[in-house]
Structures are given as C-alpha cells and as structure tokens.
Amino acid sequence: MNLKKLSISITTILSLQTSLFALTPMLSLSPMTSPIAKLSYIDKIKSSVNIISPQAFYTKVKNDEEMIVIDIREKHQQRHGEVDVDDLLQITRGYLEFEIIKNVPDQNKFIVVYCCTGSRSALAAKTLSDMGCKNVYSLGGGIRQLVDENIPIMTTYGQMIIFDDEKF
C-alpha cells in the first residue's frame, strides 16, 4: 500500500470517528436511555391501565368469581409458586401477544394479570387492552404486594417465596 492511500484511509477513519463522537450527545438523548425515563414510562403506563388492589383481587378469588388470571413472570419465578385459581394461565411477558389469542378468545372476559411488583403486569394489561380485551386489570404491586399485605392467597406450592432480586 502506498503512503498516499494510507494517509487517505487514516484521514477517513479519523473523520468518521470525529463525526460519530460529535453525534454521541444527540444519540444519548433517546427518551429511554436513563433509568428515570424508563421508570416514568412504566408509571405512565400504570396510570393508563385498570389496577385491581390486592384486597379486591383476594375478594374475587375468595368469592370464586369468574375471571382469567395470567401469571406473566418468567419460568424461574413461576416455580416459586403462583396464585391457585381455576383459570390460571402461565404466559411469560415475551409470549403474551402470541398466546393470548388462542388462550382467551373471548375479549370480554375479566382478566387479571400479575407479575412480581406490578410493572410487567401493567405493560401486559396495556398490551391486552390495545389488542381489544375489554376488562383487563393489572394486580397492583404484584405478588410481592399480596405477600406484604399478608393476604392469604393460596399458591400451588404453599407459602409464596419472594426473593429480593425479583424487582419487576
């Protein structure tokens, strides 16, 4: 390679590197880059969906009211126990849009979605509402809130175990 071509190549690389460096501040302005932006997005979603309180959910379970309950936690979290109701579906958040159509063909059913803390279930409730489900609720505070409020929900594995690292 001759010296002139090498000089042009190095100049081109440095020019591209400088351009990318100049764009870095603009690229970092993405609305979802900071943890605060992500949390405020989830809070916005939570304020736009129906939330059922742990106590109201317990009352419905105790009264054996007809509803579909969807546990959208990951498989390793589901192994710790889930709410013991007749119509429980275990559909992880990543498969919700694919599985809901075949598992819940009646979009008028009363649906409660839960996760560990109520964040993923709020996102799922928003998705289900957007897909046409009319009576969708996210369990406020999730399974963790049921445990924190000492609500005596039976699980298929007895006592519910919540680990500190299960935040969402």
Side-chain angles (χ1 to χ4, degrees):
M1 180 182 276
N2 71 31
L3 196 53
K4 188 173 183 177
K5 283 185 180 179
L6 180 62
S7 174
I8 290 172
S9 295
I10 290 174
T11 304
T12 304
I13 290 170
L14 289 175
S15 176
L16 283 172
Q17 189 175 22
T18 304
S19 298
L20 287 173
F21 183 73
L23 286 174
T24 300
M26 288 187 283
L27 294 174
S28 67
L29 292 177
S30 169
M32 294 301 285
T33 55
S34 77
I36 293 169
K38 290 176 188 172
L39 288 176
S40 65
Y41 174 75
I42 291 170
D43 289 339
K44 181 180 169 185
I45 294 297
K46 284 181 179 179
S47 69
S48 73
V49 299
N50 298 319
I51 304 289
I52 188 168
S53 71
Q55 190 60 50
F57 176 66
Y58 171 65
T59 300
K60 285 187 169 296
V61 171
K62 188 172 71 171
N63 293 336
D64 203 25
E65 292 184 32
E66 187 176 334
M67 66 179 149
I68 295 171
V69 179
I70 303 173
D71 180 352
I72 60 154
R73 296 173 300 154
E74 297 300 316
K75 295 290 184 196
H76 72 277
Q77 295 170 317
Q78 291 173 350
R79 281 187 236 123
H80 300 304
E82 67 277 336
V83 176
D84 191 12
V85 293
D86 291 335
D87 290 324
L88 175 70
L89 297 174
Q90 292 181 314
I91 305 172
T92 60
R93 178 68 187 97
Y95 285 95
L96 182 66
E97 293 85 346
F98 302 105
E99 296 291 323
I100 198 66
I101 296 166
K102 69 180 177 187
N103 286 297
V104 185
D106 182 356
Q107 295 184 334
N108 293 309
K109 290 276 189 184
F110 190 91
I111 300 170
V112 176
V113 186
Y114 74 86
C115 63
C116 284
T117 64
S119 295
R120 285 176 293 175
S121 60
L123 294 169
K126 171 79 168 105
T127 298
L128 293 175
S129 293
D130 289 349
M131 292 178 72
C133 294
K134 296 176 182 37
N135 296 308
V136 181
Y137 291 79
S138 172
L139 178 60
I143 282 281
R144 183 177 294 272
Q145 194 65 36
L146 287 172
V147 172
D148 288 350
E149 291 184 21
N150 295 313
I151 293 178
I153 293 284
M154 285 302 298
T155 71
T156 55
Y157 298 105
Q159 183 180 0
M160 178 60 65
I161 300 168
I162 300 290
F163 293 98
D164 286 339
D165 63 343
E166 294 182 294
K167 295 182 173 69
F168 299 103

